[in-house]
Amino acid sequence: MIRCGVPVLFPHCSIQLTSRRARYNETMKKLTLLGGLTPQEFLRDTWHKKPLLIRQAIPQFAPILSRQALVDLAAREDVESRLVSYFNQQWQMQSGPLTKLPAFAKKAWTLLVQGVNLHEDAADALLRQFRFLPDARLDDLMISYATDGGGVGPHVDSYDVFLLQAQGERRWRIGAQTDLRIVDNVPLKILRDFKAEEEFVLQPGDMLYLPPHYAHEGVAVGECMTYSIGFRAPSHQELGEAFLQFMGDSIDLPGRYADPDLTVTSHPAEISKAMLAKVTEQLNKVQFSADDISIFLGEYLSEPKASVTFDDPVRDLSPAKFRQLAAKHGVKLSRKTQLLYRGKHVFVNGESFAVGRADLLSLALLADSRELNASQVAAVSEDVMESLYIWYQDAWIMLKSTA
Ligand code: SIN
Ligand code: CO
């Protein structure tokens, strides 16, 4: 991480230190969102360990999207959505874009819309209330709308999830079972033998936190909307496969198999010991360093989901005009941009690059705050300004006042 001991060399240090200290102080504050726990207490006692029901986590919570706005999102090509129904004792699932939904008067169906934070400022702002948790773990804000009796059946998720009741009521039944066998031949992963241990009815503003693999079932009591704030915990297998793919792009093994020493064989189908030894020698040259792992992880975690598209910039600006406006208004990250850093590496939307210490401070400040004000932009180096301009053209960042 960044160490800033030399303010003369690194003019952004004091800003960085202030914001880091401010952020630390935030973790010591009791939060209504966490039922009066500080983020530190929540992480120590609850996170990834046990469920927590928080009554009125967000008092007087008002939904950020109407039913119609959610339905409109579900019809879009660039939005992931699903329709789940349980009609006539049968589970059915349809993936979006969804242009036709069952009647709102019909019971037992659910519309799920992923990544609402990528499309709505208010949803993004809600998600950022959970920034006492690292961006590297953040997945998205999913909104579900259900008619009376609607739900997706008893199941487990591989995510840490905060289930915030946004509108109407939902009955949650939860249990710590280890029997995670699922029902065969249904389009959803439904637990075969769900045994609920606790039951709560959530009202608007109430929130239920569940660690990964904690069995749960939510059923709408009348029409309702639930917001799921999800934090991904990739499986080791998924990480391993993605890492090998990453290494596949970066290994360099010059030369080609050669056997001038080949001798006659009476077992032509057998792979010879000599061949195996030669190949083993070459493959043992595939090594990876701590830097390879850093770069892999940062690119992997900052990669946008396949459905994410970036629009054109709000205004087509020359580099000089961009520099002038950015230094006047400041810049902020697009809702869709994931900017992370580790050591000297900076990762943005699946790409990585190494920077010097001063540039790292500017970019780390942008990553942590998701914005730079006018004076912070005015202080960045030529290289950082160049990157900001490219990111502006790609709509990865925006000018603050016009965003
Ligand atoms: C829902 O909102 O209907 C499902 C959310 C979940 O169980 O994770
Ligand atoms: Co779930």
Side-chain angles (χ1 to χ4, degrees):
M1 297 299 279
I2 296 160
R3 248 172 241 109
C4 346
V6 194
V8 179
L9 278 178
F10 305 111
H12 310 122
C13 265
S14 57
I15 306 167
Q16 185 78 17
L17 276 176
T18 312
S19 67
R20 287 168 76 85
R21 192 175 305 125
R23 253 188 288 281
Y24 174 76
N25 290 341
E26 286 297 310
T27 69
M28 306 299 281
K29 269 196 208 149
K30 292 188 183 303
L31 297 186
T32 307
L33 185 70
L34 296 175
L37 297 176
T38 66
Q40 266 199 345
E41 289 166 340
F42 173 77
L43 291 182
R44 187 191 61 209
D45 303 331
T46 306
W47 172 255
H48 222 66
K49 300 168 196 67
K50 61 181 187 189
L52 180 68
L53 172 67
I54 305 155
R55 292 288 179 197
Q56 290 307 290
I58 307 187
Q60 279 112 42
F61 183 75
I64 54 184
L65 276 191
S66 65
R67 183 177 78 182
Q68 188 54 47
L70 193 69
V71 167
D72 291 346
L73 272 181
R76 280 170 52 168
E77 291 277 349
D78 62 339
V79 175
E80 267 180 73
S81 60
R82 282 166 296 156
L83 172 66
V84 174
S85 61
Y86 191 61
F87 300 150
N88 308 319
Q89 310 286 307
Q90 246 202 322
W91 288 107
Q92 287 201 317
M93 213 251 316
Q94 190 190 333
S95 295
L98 299 163
T99 45
K100 202 165 176 313
L101 296 172
F104 291 117
K106 193 163 170 68
K107 290 187 179 201
W109 63 270
T110 295
L111 170 67
L112 302 133
V113 180
Q114 296 285 152
V116 178
N117 54 297
L118 303 174
H119 305 283
E120 294 289 330
D121 274 337
D124 178 69
L126 175 62
L127 198 68
R128 306 283 169 205
Q129 286 195 39
F130 293 80
R131 250 180 137 217
F132 51 87
L133 298 163
D135 292 349
R137 288 283 265 106
L138 184 64
D139 191 57
D140 72 346
L141 173 77
M142 177 185 84
I143 298 188
S144 71
Y145 162 83
T147 58
D148 186 36
V152 298
H155 66 281
V156 294
D157 294 311
S158 49
Y159 287 56
D160 293 87
V161 67
F162 295 86
L163 297 155
L164 172 67
Q165 193 56 24
Q167 199 177 355
E169 293 181 353
R170 186 182 284 273
R171 172 171 289 108
W172 287 101
R173 300 194 308 136
I174 66 173
Q177 70 194 62
T178 50
D179 175 2
L180 302 184
R181 285 171 309 147
I182 54 172
V183 178
D184 295 328
N185 303 322
V186 286
L188 299 161
K189 288 187 173 167
I190 306 241
L191 288 173
R192 202 183 285 186
D193 189 16
F194 176 53
K195 292 197 174 75
E197 292 160 355
E198 289 178 277
E199 176 174 324
F200 326 96
V201 175
L202 267 64
Q203 312 271 346
D206 292 346
M207 189 166 76
L208 176 62
Y209 163 75
L210 294 175
H213 296 133
Y214 209 93
H216 57 285
E217 178 184 34
V219 177
V221 183
E223 186 186 58
C224 88
M225 282 213 235
T226 304
Y227 295 1
S228 303
I229 296 120
F231 291 82
R232 64 173 161 169
S235 69
H236 295 149
Q237 182 68 23
E238 185 184 330
L239 282 171
E241 286 177 16
F243 180 61
L244 287 185
Q245 204 169 354
F246 165 86
M247 285 304 292
D249 294 337
S250 49
I251 60 168
D252 181 28
L253 290 176
R256 177 178 294 278
Y257 182 77
D259 53 3
D261 49 352
L262 190 64
T263 51
V264 174
T265 177
S266 50
H267 300 287
E270 186 186 31
I271 296 171
S272 72
K273 247 192 201 164
M275 182 179 213
L276 190 61
K278 281 177 204 273
V279 173
T280 303
E281 189 189 345
Q282 291 307 315
L283 293 189
N284 278 338
K285 291 181 187 166
V286 177
Q287 303 277 328
F288 51 86
S289 63
D291 247 16
D292 287 324
I293 298 178
S294 276
I295 295 169
F296 154 70
L297 191 59
E299 290 186 2
Y300 176 78
L301 293 173
S302 65
E303 179 73 37
K305 287 189 186 170
S307 58
V308 172
T309 52
F310 288 88
D311 308 323
D312 291 332
V314 179
R315 282 172 67 189
D316 196 9
L317 299 174
S318 68
K321 191 69 188 167
F322 170 76
R323 174 190 301 256
Q324 186 202 340
L325 291 176
K328 184 170 170 204
H329 301 293
V331 295
K332 69 176 194 175
L333 299 184
S334 153
R335 291 185 294 261
K336 297 174 182 172
T337 287
Q338 177 83 301
L339 179 61
L340 305 171
Y341 58 92
R342 172 74 233 169
K344 62 177 189 291
H345 301 288
V346 175
F347 312 99
V348 59
N349 297 335
E351 295 181 6
S352 67
F353 51 100
V355 293
R357 287 191 67 186
D359 286 355
L360 179 64
L361 290 173
S362 306
L363 293 171
L365 183 59
L366 174 60
D368 283 330
S369 314
R370 295 192 63 79
E371 61 176 36
L372 291 178
N373 64 29
S375 59
Q376 289 162 345
V377 172
V380 304
S381 71
E382 274 300 312
D383 284 350
V384 170
M385 184 58 85
E386 227 172 83
S387 297
L388 293 181
Y389 179 60
I390 294 169
W391 297 352
Y392 172 77
Q393 287 180 305
D394 291 339
W396 291 3
I397 64 166
M398 294 153 184
L399 292 169
K400 265 177 80 179
S401 64
T402 54

